[in-house]
Amino acid sequence: MYHDQIRNILTSHGRLSKDVTELSNDADLYDAGLTSLITVNLLLAIEDHFDVEFPDELLSRRTFQSIDALAEAVEDLVG
Amino acid sequence: MAESDGQLEKARAAYLAELIEAGHLIPSGVRGLYGRSGTFEGVIEHFERVVTRRGADQNAEVMRFPPILSRRTYEGTDHIETMPQLLGSVHSFTGTEAEHAGMVTSMHAGEDWTGSLTPTEVVMVPAACYPLYPTATGTLPEGGRVVDLRTFVFRHEPSDDPARMQVFRQREYVRLGTPQQAVEHRDEWIRRALEIHRSLGLNVREEVANDPFFGRGGRMMKATQREQDLKYEIVCPITSEEKPTAITSSNCHLDHFGVAFDIRSADGEVAHTSCVGFGLERIALALFRTHGMDPDRWPSEVRSVLEL
């Protein structure tokens, strides 16, 4: 349910090498050009947007692997 | 019983006092900024020779850069995004005579006078390998490169821990090449560094580590750096058995500097880089701590390895 909002955040903060609209929900974001520095911007933007704080156990590449993975993490945090 | 912060602080202050008493560190009035004795320098010189011998098979190009870096180069490294709290930026005076008079008056009045300064084209070097990368832009030769570096680096983190200096030397071997070459270099040098330190009687072990990235976003950088096993530190007790100090580290940067400075391996792909960095002051501090303040009385095996 958070996929569209995450897509919007990815478009404005993701600076990916591929067009976000062409990415499927399970596409690998690292393959699409996600770098560690962009991940930081993305993390901060998602935290601000949803007013949540990612706990340390969610700070891993797996959480940022795909739009699906991010949506799942946000869903857990928003509750 | 777990060591408290207070105990740790006391142990650090006590070791600092001991080093000053022995004349090895000469206080400057600023925390983390010291002169060094001839004996202290001698230990570092002899240690570096051990490293040079151990690295002889690398056919490394020796390059020495000053401890000051082009601001433009600095801006290309993303250090300001990830570790701004450690930056040292160099400023100077470029104003008129009237502004000069105002600045001097402010200073003598004990007011802030630094507002009259403007940034120069340089910053302090935060890591010994930074000045190298912009000189490597382009395509690497077949087989890549290994470069031997040493310089003073600056990190703004004032502390009474003698092992946390604001200005200290890093001796590095940097690999520029393919992803496989970069990882092999890091792993090989962790192995060699462990051997070197153990041959000097230091009680070391290796640990997965992370850089001190800044702020909330830094949590993510730290986590992914650890998750990918990019950085290893060799730690040794200096002022605490429980919280040993990193004296050497080996770090794989993946394509970070390759992308930032357009460095390509011979096959045309973006180059990967890695480096081993020996923290020379910390190694000397570990040796003095382990074997005593007088190198003449260090164990003969250690003296023999160091050729003292």
Side-chain angles (χ1 to χ4, degrees), chain B:
Chain B
M1 200 180 75
E3 202 173 39
S4 72
D5 286 353
Q7 282 171 315
L8 193 57
E9 252 171 60
K10 242 187 213 166
R12 287 170 173 166
Y15 187 41
L16 178 58
E18 210 181 318
L19 289 156
I20 292 171
E21 169 71 25
H24 292 325
L25 293 186
I26 305 151
S28 71
V30 171
R31 292 190 298 159
L33 183 65
Y34 312 98
R36 282 81 160 148
S37 70
T39 306
F40 192 97
E41 288 299 290
V43 167
I44 288 185
E45 250 171 62
H46 283 262
F47 175 79
E48 278 209 83
R49 282 185 219 159
V50 177
V51 173
T52 304
R53 280 199 300 275
R54 204 63 186 80
D57 65 327
Q58 307 268 298
N59 296 314
E61 304 161 52
V62 177
M63 295 170 91
R64 294 289 179 259
F65 290 96
I68 285 176
L69 176 73
S70 139
R71 187 177 294 273
R72 179 73 54 85
T73 298
Y74 176 78
E75 288 166 359
T77 62
D78 89 13
H79 187 269
I80 198 71
E81 282 146 301
T82 53
M83 290 178 254
Q85 77 281 20
L86 303 179
L87 166 67
S89 173
V90 179
H91 292 233
S92 189
F93 179 72
T94 56
T96 61
E97 268 189 59
E99 285 163 342
H100 176 241
M103 174 174 75
V104 172
T105 306
S106 297
M107 188 188 76
H108 287 308
E111 295 163 2
D112 177 32
W113 54 275
T114 55
S116 307
L117 302 179
T118 50
T120 64
E121 60 277 55
V122 291
V123 301
M124 306 297 286
V125 166
C129 57
Y130 276 30
L132 167 67
Y133 301 116
T135 71
T137 298
T139 305
L140 297 169
E142 197 70 46
R145 293 170 65 187
V146 180
V147 183
D148 166 345
L149 299 167
R150 181 203 346 102
T151 195
F152 273 103
V153 302
F154 175 84
R155 293 181 185 181
H156 185 246
E157 39 184 359
S159 166
D160 290 321
D161 178 359
R164 190 164 296 285
M165 295 186 183
Q166 294 201 54
V167 183
F168 58 94
R169 275 160 291 186
Q170 290 178 332
R171 171 75 184 274
E172 291 199 7
Y173 282 87
V174 179
R175 187 79 169 102
L176 306 101
T178 63
Q180 193 188 347
Q181 285 166 342
V183 167
E184 282 171 2
H185 177 80
R186 182 201 59 191
D187 294 346
E188 172 62 19
W189 271 102
I190 273 293
R191 202 178 57 72
R192 287 189 192 193
L194 278 170
E195 271 174 24
I196 292 172
H197 294 314
R198 286 184 178 138
S199 74
L200 296 172
L202 297 179
N203 176 22
V204 289
R205 63 167 196 267
E206 63 173 296
E207 282 185 353
V208 174
N210 59 260
D211 287 311
F213 296 115
F214 179 75
R216 280 202 304 147
R219 290 177 305 144
M220 182 70 201
M221 300 282 286
K222 288 176 188 169
T224 52
Q225 192 180 28
R226 281 179 173 271
E227 193 183 10
Q228 296 178 89
D229 281 351
L230 295 178
K231 178 171 176 146
Y232 289 86
E233 284 177 346
I234 292 180
V235 299
C236 179
I238 296 182
T239 46
S240 162
E241 292 286 333
E242 215 173 285
K243 291 184 181 152
T245 304
I247 58 174
T248 290
S249 75
S250 204
N251 201 349
C252 187
H253 318 121
L254 303 174
D255 63 1
H256 181 74
F257 292 109
V259 169
F261 294 102
D262 192 20
I263 308 166
R264 295 186 173 272
S265 48
D267 58 12
E269 297 293 320
V270 176
H272 280 220
T273 58
S274 63
C275 66
V276 62
F278 292 91
L280 298 177
E281 276 74 7
R282 284 187 172 181
I283 289 165
L285 292 173
L287 287 165
F288 283 115
R289 184 60 177 196
T290 307
H291 304 307
M293 288 293 158
D294 181 2
D296 287 345
R297 299 169 68 181
W298 287 1
S300 57
E301 315 85 75
V302 174
R303 291 181 50 80
S304 136
V305 172
L306 285 172
E307 297 184 335
L308 287 174

Side-chain angles (χ1 to χ4, degrees), chain A residues 8-9 20-22 25 27-28 31-33 40 45 49-51 55 68 72-74 79:
Chain A
N8 288 339
I9 294 171
V20 175
T21 55
E22 285 173 16
N25 283 340
D28 189 312
D31 286 347
V40 168
H49 181 85
F50 294 102
D51 193 23
D68 274 340
E72 193 182 318
V74 168

